[in-house]
Amino acid sequence: MGGVINIKTKRPEKKAQLEVDLSSGQLTSEDQGQTRNIQATASATVSGFGTKVTFSQREQDAFDLDSQTLAQEGVAFKKRHGSLYLDKDLGSMRAFANYIYLNGETTSRTSRPYSSSAFGAALNITDTTTHNIKAGAEGKAGVRTLRAVSYTHL
């Protein structure tokens, strides 16, 4: 199965800018299911290049609403996203490049059905990492905008 996701990144700010957002929470009334989030963005124009760096991480602890069952209702996960975006105005053209890093780790506890010969608790662990590069150029041709873009998945 394949496909393309077109991620449109906002252009960097001309004036230097830094934003950081921290948050946390609790998904249950018990001491379980805690969440932690961080997001950071730095944007500026450096030596004529529009530059933008982003990072985010979101974590959630597992939680179990009914300790009498084998399965847990809430999964534990950690998700990370980072990107580096550069662009340069070249008169009537603009060149740009964007590197995107995505990582996700998920751990869940489920149960196998009674009819299974391996009945009981099952631990599921998933860890995924992707690296993507998007580069291209765009320019005006009369009233039209021409755009050429290349995507690479590493």
Side-chain angles (χ1 to χ4, degrees):
M1 185 162 125
V4 174
I5 298 173
N6 186 18
I7 299 173
K8 294 190 175 198
T9 304
K10 284 177 57 177
R11 292 189 68 189
E13 300 291 330
K14 292 187 189 278
K15 186 176 174 183
Q17 183 176 330
L18 175 65
E19 296 178 27
V20 177
D21 181 30
L22 303 169
S23 64
S24 65
Q26 184 88 18
L27 297 174
T28 67
S29 60
E30 304 293 320
D31 191 24
Q32 303 178 62
Q34 295 174 342
T35 62
R36 293 161 300 283
N37 304 295
I38 182 171
Q39 293 180 315
T41 302
S43 181
T45 298
V46 180
S47 299
F49 283 90
T51 306
K52 185 173 190 176
V53 178
T54 66
F55 173 79
S56 67
Q57 179 167 305
R58 181 168 186 213
E59 297 179 28
Q60 174 181 296
D61 297 335
F63 60 91
D64 192 2
L65 299 176
D66 184 356
S67 61
Q68 302 300 312
T69 62
L70 295 173
Q72 284 182 322
E73 286 77 18
V75 301
F77 66 80
K78 185 183 289 187
K79 298 176 183 179
R80 292 176 209 88
H81 167 268
S83 69
L84 171 63
Y85 178 86
L86 301 170
D87 73 9
K88 176 82 172 163
D89 284 323
L90 305 166
S92 63
M93 298 272 305
R94 179 177 69 92
F96 58 90
N98 194 12
Y99 166 77
I100 301 171
Y101 166 82
L102 301 167
N103 173 263
E105 302 167 16
T106 304
T107 303
S108 64
R109 295 189 184 282
T110 59
S111 62
R112 296 183 186 99
Y114 288 111
S115 59
S116 169
S117 61
F119 170 72
L123 179 63
N124 303 307
I125 300 172
T126 305
D127 188 355
T128 306
T129 301
T130 62
H131 303 270
N132 301 283
I133 296 174
K134 176 180 173 180
E138 69 180 20
K140 294 280 187 188
V143 295
R144 301 194 189 283
T145 298
L146 302 175
R147 184 177 190 150
V149 179
S150 174
Y151 298 91
T152 301
H153 174 78
L154 306 175

